[in-house]
Amino acid sequence: GDLLKARIRSIIDFGETSNAQRIEIWKASLESIKKHPLLGVGIGNFPVVLNQKLELARAGSSAHNIYLHIASEMGIPALIFALWFLWLLMHKIYTNFTTSKDWEITIYNGAALIFVPWVLIYSLTDVALFDERAFLLFVATIALVLGGKHE
């Protein structure tokens, strides 16, 4: 409990160096979105948003917010499409959970109703979902939710 309280306190402490830097990156991301609303700066070009060298893309230069990252790199239409897809995914998870007569599907989708929103909320402060291992697990989750034949 104390560890969780300390973590929450560190997240909302805007005086903390990492939080102050994150807010500056978010401001730069919003400015970039204003300058390039339709197509963004291009996939993999986030360092351009921060006026950094493109080589830093490999070092993990990011918006520290997956939604701002998508809009910065690919534009507002891509963000709208991503949010729409995530809404459809959550709707399908809920539908599977409430309508399936197979207890394994019900349990899996019930768990997904907990962990998928957690991942999407966590993505407000990180782009870890774009890491290839995390992305592979997320895509596998999506495949299990969308791919099975359900009654």
Side-chain angles (χ1 to χ4, degrees), residues 43-121:
I43 297 173
N45 290 328
F46 191 80
V48 170
V49 172
L50 303 176
N51 296 319
Q52 297 173 336
K53 294 181 181 177
L54 281 179
E55 295 81 37
L56 291 175
R58 289 182 170 230
S61 181
S62 75
H64 297 279
N65 177 311
I66 204 164
Y67 310 104
L68 288 176
H69 196 89
I70 290 170
S72 295
E73 285 193 350
M74 295 179 275
I76 293 171
L79 175 63
I80 291 169
F81 179 77
L83 292 173
W84 177 65
F85 174 78
L86 293 171
W87 170 258
L88 292 176
L89 175 65
M90 288 304 301
H91 183 267
K92 180 65 173 170
I93 292 170
Y94 179 75
T95 301
N96 290 351
F97 177 70
T98 58
T99 62
S100 178
K101 292 178 180 72
D102 184 334
W103 68 272
E104 291 169 326
I105 292 171
T106 301
I107 290 172
Y108 184 83
N109 284 277
L113 282 173
I114 296 168
F115 72 79
V116 171
W118 179 84
V119 167
L120 299 178
I121 292 168

Side-chain angles (χ1 to χ4, degrees), residues 89 93 108 112 115-116 136-146:
L89 175 65
I93 292 170
Y108 184 83
F115 72 79
V116 171
L136 180 62
L137 287 172
F138 192 66
V139 169
T141 298
I142 292 169
L144 288 170
V145 168
L146 299 179

Side-chain angles (χ1 to χ4, degrees), residues 26-47:
W26 289 349
K27 287 178 183 177
S29 298
L30 290 170
E31 280 299 316
S32 179
I33 293 166
K34 277 200 264 183
K35 289 180 188 173
H36 310 281
L38 291 179
L39 298 176
V41 295
I43 297 173
N45 290 328
F46 191 80

Side-chain angles (χ1 to χ4, degrees), residues 3-23 26 64 118 121-122 124-126:
L3 183 62
L4 179 62
K5 288 178 189 175
R7 180 64 182 141
I8 290 172
R9 230 177 287 132
S10 74
I11 289 171
I12 60 175
D13 179 7
F14 297 119
E16 187 177 283
T17 305
S18 65
N19 288 342
Q21 290 172 341
R22 183 176 289 124
I23 290 169
W26 289 349
H64 297 279
W118 179 84
I121 292 168
Y122 179 81
L124 288 168
T125 60
D126 202 340

